[in-house]
Amino acid sequence: MVRTESYGAWPSPVDAALAASHDGRPEYTGFVGDEVWWTAPRPAEGGRRALVRRRADGTEESVLPPPWNVRSRVIEYGGLPWAGAGRADDGPLIVFVHFPDQRLYVYEPDVPGAAPRPLTPLSDTGGGLRWVDPQLLADRGEVWCVLEEFTGEGPTDVRRVIAAVPLDGSAADDRTAVRELSDGHHRFVTGPRLRPDGGRVAFIAWDHPRMPWDGTELILADVTPEGTFGEQWTVAGGPTESIAQAEWTTDGALLYASDRTGWWNLYRSGPDRGTEPLCVRDEEFAGPLWKIGQRWFAPLDDGLVAVVHGIGSTALGVLDPESGELVDTAGPWTQWASELAVHGTRVASVAASPRSAFEVVELDTAAGHARVIGAEHDDPVDPAYYPEPQIRTFEGPDGREIHAHVYPPHHPDHRAPDGELPPFVVWAHGGPTGHAPLVLDLEIAYFTSRGIGVAEVNYGGSTGYGRAYRERLREQWGVVDVEDCAAVARALADEGTADRDRLAIRGGSAGGWTAAASLTTTDLYACGTVIYPILDLTGWATGETHDFESQYLHSLIGPIEAVPGRYRDRSPVEHADRITAPFLLLQGLDDVICPPAQCERLLADMAGRNVPHAYIAFEGEGHGFRRADTMVRALEAELSLYAQVFGLRPAGVPTLELSK
């Protein structure tokens, strides 16, 4: 029997604890011998990342017990934190980065009594020494990876090079035993990709003020008999061309992804350095390089290439580079991560769908069959409570297209009274050069199953729709993103999908900026949830963030020395007097990307203004909440805000105390 009850009062089995326990996803798949390994979130274990192996019999096990935490901090967003090799006699040999000290460790999990041993030293300078994207070269007795080394106490006092770390542990207490391979002429580099014959290496580099999706260079270097880099030269890329990934084929050809046509497509460069496109399409075969070591394509031994591609959503396909034929993998998945690993005819990756969370999937390219092999989705509640997404395209200012996923309230046993329209929350994703994927998210289900709609907006600036769509945000951050979110909200109200008087906006990081900017520039929203946000552009551009994004605003806003007034005009901290809607501010106290000082500045300006608001700061949390207890409190506080502002009656939710 379907009961009639107002939106927001529907009982739901998707509570905050359940949503928190399923937060995060598997990452960084790789083959160790015939086994597939990956990292996995552990919200209940302090938010650490575990290293998981799938044995031949199909069982999964965590390789390292708590508190080992396999995660890198290079460019703060990290990247590939481990590498492994199978050995016939002694089992796997693993190298990994441990998050608390950022040292590189070596471990032999099948050797009785073995424990992880450090390979790299500590440093007392600034953020110390950090490592990412390791390439395990056991035959050379080394690990080649990216070294991030702080040279001072400031967040931008840093250098990055490709370095070789000896596997014998001789560099564990001796920085001089680490061999630097690249010349250090570039601010940012990716890990090296060694040609199969060992004679040449490829890597990607870029410099401030560019971000890697703006322009990068693909660099080749000869490898000398002594194992050092010789002559280096650029073969592709530039200030307005983004090379996102490069790999060698088994016969020594170089494959890379470039957006020179306006879309990230694949190219092949042969021994004569001639270059040819492999599959020219108006869709993406790569994405933004937010983490070092992402892989959207992987060459197979038989000459075929596994590729992740699409517009908006993504598919896993197998490309024949000779004919250009592309065959996609059958299955329910609508989003494949940039996590490809290959071994023989096998491809391992991470994928999800609107009915399943991210899981580890293996494709046998010989048989054409894909199956889930790890972190298998197991419905924690009846799937009837899951939201039913609608893929929508809205019209924004000047007739521009805006892509969004709309999740109306949904409950198998409840409906709202006739004539009542539901409250809706607009979600602005982070980045802003990011993307809201079409996948099952129990945080969304937490709201929709209670009668609150969610609209995820892939506003102008989002990836997945080509370079032109991405560059709509150039010098327009705080304008285009705000307008696009508002256009979606208004359209939902105009068509009778949402209650115009019960609209909210929510976002984290860059999405937190969009949410806060929306509250200062429009009266459309009745309230907002602002999560570890950017609030002060001038502060962010002058030392209040990390090195990777320290000049990001050069493209998003404009050079600060040329348009200082624009930085002030768009910053929410400069216009706290315009905020009239209640809001919730959530912040990690260890956040070095969007520091709590910016939240505190806004709160000081809000004091005594009689606008209901709440601020919850979490010790031990950085940029992106990882601990189960943090996520539970954050979700319940957000629901309580909506309940108070929208007049809802959710059951069993602690009341958030709002200050004025």
Side-chain angles (χ1 to χ4, degrees):
M1 180 179 295
V2 176
R3 296 186 57 184
T4 299
E5 200 161 3
S6 292
Y7 290 115
W10 301 346
S12 172
V14 185
D15 61 17
L18 182 67
S21 68
H22 287 73
D23 190 78
R25 63 176 180 83
E27 288 184 303
Y28 307 117
T29 52
F31 282 93
V32 180
D34 291 330
E35 296 179 353
V36 179
W37 294 40
W38 61 89
T39 66
R42 295 289 186 262
E45 298 176 10
R48 78 179 184 106
R49 299 290 304 192
L51 184 60
V52 177
R53 70 188 290 187
R54 182 185 187 273
R55 291 189 176 272
D57 62 4
T59 58
E60 297 176 28
E61 65 180 47
S62 181
V63 179
L64 296 158
W68 292 105
N69 188 351
V70 183
R71 180 180 159 213
S72 171
R73 281 190 64 183
V74 169
I75 68 168
E76 293 301 342
Y77 293 112
L80 183 65
W82 75 277
R87 299 176 299 176
D89 298 326
D90 299 319
L93 178 70
I94 306 299
V95 294
F96 68 93
V97 178
H98 181 43
F99 183 75
D101 61 18
Q102 286 298 289
R103 298 175 87 178
L104 194 65
Y105 287 79
V106 63
Y107 181 43
E108 300 171 279
D110 289 355
V111 175
R117 294 179 287 108
L119 295 179
T120 57
L122 295 169
S123 170
D124 293 330
T125 304
L129 302 175
R130 301 173 179 180
W131 311 86
V132 75
D133 203 4
Q135 307 297 307
L136 180 56
L137 306 176
D139 57 333
R140 295 174 180 258
E142 293 180 325
V143 185
W144 288 9
C145 49
V146 175
L147 161 62
E148 181 177 78
E149 180 174 24
F150 281 78
T151 58
E153 297 303 318
T156 59
D157 297 332
V158 64
R159 59 189 295 268
R160 298 175 188 88
V161 294
I162 297 173
V165 177
L167 283 171
D168 62 8
S170 58
D173 297 303
D174 182 5
R175 169 67 179 81
T176 64
V178 175
R179 293 190 305 115
E180 295 189 9
L181 301 175
S182 61
D183 56 22
H185 289 170
H186 294 280
R187 188 75 169 190
F188 302 95
V189 292
T190 64
R193 297 296 182 264
L194 190 63
R195 197 169 64 185
D197 64 6
R200 187 163 289 173
V201 71
F203 60 94
I204 296 168
W206 69 97
D207 293 285
H208 284 318
R210 284 178 278 158
M211 299 301 287
W213 42 86
D214 296 326
T216 59
E217 296 177 12
L218 175 56
I219 297 175
L220 299 185
D222 290 323
V223 179
T224 69
E226 295 75 28
T228 60
F229 290 4
E231 178 190 1
Q232 300 182 26
W233 64 96
T234 299
V235 295
T240 59
E241 178 184 356
S242 171
I243 309 296
Q245 183 191 339
E247 305 286 344
W248 298 97
T249 64
T250 54
D251 62 358
L254 181 65
L255 302 184
Y256 62 89
S258 165
D259 72 347
R260 63 184 57 159
T261 66
W263 298 86
W264 274 300
N265 279 190
L266 294 187
Y267 297 83
R268 176 172 58 189
S269 179
D272 59 355
R273 300 189 186 178
T275 300
E276 59 179 337
L278 295 185
C279 187
V280 179
R281 294 190 182 191
D282 286 350
E283 58 180 271
E284 305 285 33
F285 285 76
L289 197 62
W290 277 104
K291 297 181 179 182
I292 306 300
Q294 290 176 276
R295 297 185 84 194
W296 293 269
F297 66 89
L300 294 153
D301 292 345
D302 58 8
L304 301 177
V305 184
V307 296
V308 172
H309 70 103
I311 302 175
S313 60
T314 54
L316 174 64
V318 177
L319 171 68
D320 183 341
E322 301 305 323
S323 66
E325 182 183 11
L326 178 58
V327 179
D328 286 339
T329 302
W333 307 285
T334 55
Q335 191 73 30
W336 291 81
S338 50
E339 311 283 351
L340 291 187
V342 296
H343 178 64
T345 61
R346 299 162 63 195
V347 180
S349 188
V350 175
S353 79
R355 308 297 288 179
S356 60
F358 281 99
E359 46 198 357
V360 181
V361 180
E362 180 179 286
L363 166 67
D364 184 337
T365 59
H369 176 66
R371 63 192 179 107
V372 177
I373 63 164
E376 184 173 5
H377 175 77
D378 183 19
D379 291 314
V381 297
D382 186 337
Y385 290 93
Y386 294 164
E388 300 285 352
Q390 301 171 359
I391 303 173
R392 300 282 303 273
T393 301
F394 295 89
E395 183 175 310
D398 303 319
R400 64 178 182 250
E401 288 187 344
I402 306 167
H403 301 286
H405 304 146
V406 177
Y407 298 86
H410 177 75
H411 195 291
D413 303 320
H414 282 70
R415 63 182 296 275
D418 292 340
E420 182 180 348
L421 293 176
F424 251 83
V425 184
V426 172
W427 284 26
H429 64 69
T433 309
H435 182 85
L438 185 67
V439 300
L440 175 63
D441 184 340
L442 290 187
E443 282 198 6
I444 293 177
Y446 177 75
F447 294 104
T448 57
S449 61
R450 286 171 169 77
I452 301 172
V454 171
E456 290 186 304
V457 181
N458 281 312
Y459 48 81
S462 301
T463 52
Y465 308 99
R467 185 166 185 131
Y469 194 89
R470 201 164 73 236
E471 292 198 336
R472 286 184 187 175
L473 213 55
R474 184 168 288 274
E475 298 195 5
Q476 295 297 309
W477 197 35
V479 179
V480 165
D481 50 324
V482 169
E483 290 177 346
D484 286 1
C485 288
V488 171
R490 290 193 182 97
L492 292 175
D494 289 345
E495 69 186 26
T497 298
D499 185 341
R500 188 179 304 275
D501 295 325
R502 295 193 293 178
L503 298 172
I505 188 161
R506 179 243 219 202
S509 188
W513 153 270
T514 300
S518 297
L519 294 179
T520 62
T521 57
T522 176
D523 60 1
L524 178 64
Y525 304 104
C527 61
T529 300
V530 182
I531 309 169
Y532 37 83
I534 301 157
L535 298 170
D536 183 348
L537 294 176
T538 302
W540 215 65
T542 55
E544 284 190 346
T545 192
H546 61 141
D547 184 62
F548 177 58
E549 294 179 274
S550 61
Q551 296 186 36
Y552 195 2
L553 300 183
H554 187 96
S555 60
L556 289 175
I557 304 296
I560 189 170
E561 62 276 6
V563 290
R566 191 182 295 169
Y567 281 66
R568 293 189 299 271
D569 291 344
R570 295 191 193 167
S571 294
V573 294
E574 300 288 346
H575 304 291
D577 60 306
R578 299 178 184 173
I579 300 177
T580 58
F583 65 90
L584 169 64
L585 193 55
L586 302 169
Q587 177 69 45
L589 291 177
D590 293 345
D591 194 338
V592 297
I593 297 173
C594 296
Q598 297 212 344
C599 289
E600 293 160 4
R601 211 169 293 151
L602 178 69
L603 292 168
D605 291 340
M606 293 300 301
R609 293 203 51 251
N610 205 36
V611 176
H613 64 277
Y615 176 53
I616 306 176
F618 299 97
E619 292 185 2
E621 291 283 14
H623 197 68
F625 300 151
R626 298 177 182 274
R627 299 179 176 181
D629 55 345
T630 297
M631 291 182 279
V632 168
R633 189 178 180 200
L635 270 178
E636 291 182 340
E638 183 177 356
L639 179 56
S640 180
L641 172 72
Y642 303 149
Q644 294 180 57
V645 173
F646 296 153
L648 312 179
R649 296 179 290 104
V653 177
T655 300
L656 173 70
E657 183 176 345
L658 298 173
S659 303
K660 294 185 179 180

